[in-house]
Every structure is written in structure tokens, then in C-alpha cells.
Amino acid sequence: MCEAWKVFCLFAVVLAAALGLDHLLVPDIVPVAFAEEPQPIWAVMTAFLLRAVELIAASVAMIAFAVIAGVHLRHELRRLSRSTSSRAD
């Protein structure tokens, strides 16, 4: 269970770092189709890369949190069923 928390925290930190870099390095870059004025290609590519990192990190963090919640729920249900069955005896 500790490893799942480590994965969750690691990817939460990666997500926060990518969001921070996105706002720091390329704050006004929008997708090319929506741009009203020319944008430097390095900024568009950097924004694309950071957005990809953000989405991957968020996905992995959500999956890790879902696994943690599932294991916790399973543990609680087993504990509840054991206490219920012991009272019935």
C-alpha cells in the first residue's frame, strides 16, 4: 500500500511541476487553430509537451488513487463482514 501512495505522490508532484512550468514558460500560448497572432514554434511545442506531461501525470495519479481507494474499501468490507459473521455465531 505504501508503494501506491509513493506513486500517487510522485505523479502529483510531477503534475504540479508541469503546471508550474507551463504557467512560467508559456503562459499565453494557445492551440495553433485559435491563435489570432503568430506564435513562436518553440513555445507551441513546449506548451504541447508540458500539456502531455500534465495529462499523463494526472491520469497515473488518478489511477493510483483509485487503486488505493479500492484496496481500502475492500479491507473495510472484509473487516465488516468478519465482524458481522462473528456476531451471528
Side-chain angles (χ1 to χ4, degrees):
M1 194 61 163
C2 183
E3 290 79 18
W5 279 112
K6 286 179 184 177
V7 169
F8 175 76
C9 291
L10 173 68
F11 280 93
V13 168
V14 170
L15 175 62
L19 282 169
L21 283 174
D22 186 28
H23 290 294
L24 180 69
L25 296 176
V26 285
D28 298 328
I29 300 299
V30 295
V32 177
F34 300 120
E36 294 179 4
E37 56 190 45
Q39 302 179 80
I41 191 68
W42 69 267
V44 173
M45 292 176 65
T46 303
F48 178 78
L49 175 69
L50 289 172
R51 184 66 177 157
V53 170
E54 290 169 13
L55 291 174
I56 292 170
S59 299
V60 172
M62 287 189 321
I63 291 169
F65 189 72
V67 168
I68 292 168
V71 168
H72 181 70
L73 181 63
R74 184 177 178 192
H75 175 72
E76 289 299 316
L77 289 175
R78 282 188 178 177
R79 187 180 61 82
L80 182 63
S81 68
R82 274 191 241 145
S83 66
T84 306
S85 65
S86 66
R87 282 190 235 163
D89 292 339

